[in-house]
Amino acid sequence: MYQNRRPKGDSPVTIIGAGIAGAWQALLFAQAGHDVTLHERGDALMTDSTSHWAGGMLAPFCESELCEPVISRLGLRALDLWRRELPETPFNGSLVVAHARDRSDFERFARMTSGHRRLDAAALAALEPSLEGRFREALFYPAEGHVEPRRVLPMLHEKIVAAGGTIRFNSDVAAEQLDGVVIDCRGLSARDRQPELRGVKGEMILVRTSEVKLARPVRLIHPRSPLYVIPREDNLFMLGATAIEAEDTGVSVRSALELLGAAYSVHPAFAEARIIEFGSGLRPAFPDNLPRIAIEDEKIAVNGLYRHGFLVAPALAELTLAYVERGQIDNEVMRCA
Ligand SMILES: Cc1cc2nc3c(=O)[nH]c(=O)nc-3n(C[C@H](O)[C@H](O)[C@H](O)COP(=O)(O)OP(=O)(O)OC[C@H]3O[C@@H](n4cnc5c(N)ncnc54)[C@H](O)[C@@H]3O)c2cc1C
């Protein structure tokens, strides 16, 4: 039945929303030779998107501690696509550490995840000299990577144009006004059509210090305030992120204290770091916290990327393309009306 109602593979493709979901859709469709137009309500700085606030970790192994296997499946495929499209992306792996008092949580994390090897204090210091003497051991996930959202979004947008696509910023459109294949990637703004979406607030702090050097994200296991520290260019570090069932914006004093306190416990030099920015974004999530490709004839909606947008967006775009071109259905991710 879907075969008959499936869009024609050569229809023009309009994508709404140039966040990480829409950018990857536009890129893969443009590269496959489709006539692609990507509309974005905001300007090219993308400050209105959730993607602007993200950590950008590509961590399918670490995330499997809490997530269903579909996230790892999509994430592992997406790592290949990130490597293919942005070969300069650092794939230095990621580290998980814990203080001695949180040893049992650390062991649990090790049991619940795969793709890691244990490092003793000396091996940890060899990998990240700034962490010498800070932790007795660590878990190292060598296959994981990270991207800097505020750098890779413009890079993806440039690649879309280079592949023949068109991007219209400051262009607020509605799927109903458009003909041909429409891929709705509006994140939380798509609640008018997908009312079960909710926003899960994530708060982050950007700090600068030249006293700490890291080549990869470091996650600190902590029963109350788990933290990650993600190195950026120019001695910047993103400290993140909370996950709060609230849709207000801004950063609470409690969250700031916890994020900054946890960073200080990873390395005391963070006490002298300069605070550059506080910020927050709302992660678009369905009740099951899983991403979804909803298909209704030529209208396709890609949403619910929750805390895994950067991790899974490339794989979701590949699945959407396979559906439009060949009618291929992925039963775990797709819902057909
Ligand atoms: C603090 C924080 C840390 C995170 N860390 C990570 C991480 O380390 N790794 C990871 O994988 N994920 C992470 N995430 C999750 C990730 O950011 C989200 O999953 C992802 O950004 C969702 O992307 P999206 O494209 O669906 O939505 P968005 O990025 O919100 O993009 C939707 C776009 O649609 C546009 N739009 C809306 N309506 C219209 C309209 N009518 N017409 C045109 N355009 C429209 C909006 O302006 C917006 O730019 C994090 C999130 C937060 C908040």
Side-chain angles (χ1 to χ4, degrees), residues 112-240:
M112 300 295 288
T113 58
S114 61
H116 58 74
R117 61 175 193 264
R118 280 177 190 260
L119 305 182
D120 62 14
L124 174 60
L127 200 64
E128 291 289 9
S130 281
L131 297 183
E132 183 172 5
R134 301 296 311 154
F135 300 95
R136 275 196 304 214
E137 65 177 332
L139 301 173
F140 178 44
Y141 296 77
E144 296 190 336
H146 69 285
V147 293
E148 187 163 344
R150 297 175 190 185
R151 290 172 59 84
V152 296
L153 279 174
M155 287 162 86
L156 290 171
H157 295 161
E158 269 176 35
K159 286 179 79 75
I160 292 162
V161 174
T166 302
I167 309 186
R168 298 201 197 292
F169 289 105
N170 304 305
S171 174
D172 188 337
V173 295
E176 308 81 63
Q177 301 165 348
L178 302 161
D179 295 325
V181 178
V182 180
I183 307 177
D184 180 345
C185 300
R186 288 179 295 149
L188 205 53
S189 303
R191 261 201 298 215
D192 54 349
R193 292 180 67 86
Q194 297 182 293
E196 67 275 41
L197 277 171
R198 73 185 197 288
V200 180
K201 182 161 95 160
E203 296 152 295
M204 53 75 81
I205 304 175
L206 205 58
V207 300
R208 177 175 276 135
T209 175
S210 56
E211 304 293 311
V212 184
K213 304 279 180 216
L214 294 174
R216 50 190 61 77
V218 177
R219 292 181 188 232
L220 175 69
I221 306 261
H222 188 278
R224 210 177 50 258
S225 44
L227 162 98
Y228 49 77
V229 179
I230 306 177
R232 303 277 198 235
E233 291 204 333
D234 304 325
N235 296 329
L236 290 169
F237 295 86
M238 175 187 161
L239 314 177

Side-chain angles (χ1 to χ4, degrees), residues 6-19:
R6 176 163 76 86
K8 288 196 223 67
D10 57 354
S11 318
V13 177
T14 308
I15 294 147
I16 314 177

Side-chain angles (χ1 to χ4, degrees), residues 90 109 128 187 226 242 254 273 282 330:
F109 197 98
E128 291 289 9
T242 55
R254 175 203 290 256
L282 295 177
D330 184 294

Side-chain angles (χ1 to χ4, degrees), residues 16-22 39-42 46 48-58 171-174 185-189 200-204 228 230 238 241-242 280-284 302-312:
I16 314 177
I20 196 62
H39 292 271
E40 166 55 45
R41 187 169 61 184
M46 297 297 296
D48 293 339
S49 69
T50 302
S51 302
H52 181 76
W53 302 104
M57 290 183 296
L58 310 176
S171 174
D172 188 337
V173 295
C185 300
R186 288 179 295 149
L188 205 53
S189 303
V200 180
K201 182 161 95 160
E203 296 152 295
M204 53 75 81
Y228 49 77
I230 306 177
M238 175 187 161
T242 55
S280 70
L282 295 177
R283 306 174 180 97
V302 180
N303 217 318
L305 277 62
Y306 183 46
R307 49 184 290 165
H308 304 118
F310 284 77
L311 178 60
V312 301

Side-chain angles (χ1 to χ4, degrees), residues 266-288:
V266 167
H267 199 297
F270 280 116
E272 295 302 324
R274 293 292 170 266
I275 295 176
I276 305 296
E277 184 180 342
F278 289 99
S280 70
L282 295 177
R283 306 174 180 97
F286 287 115
D288 59 6

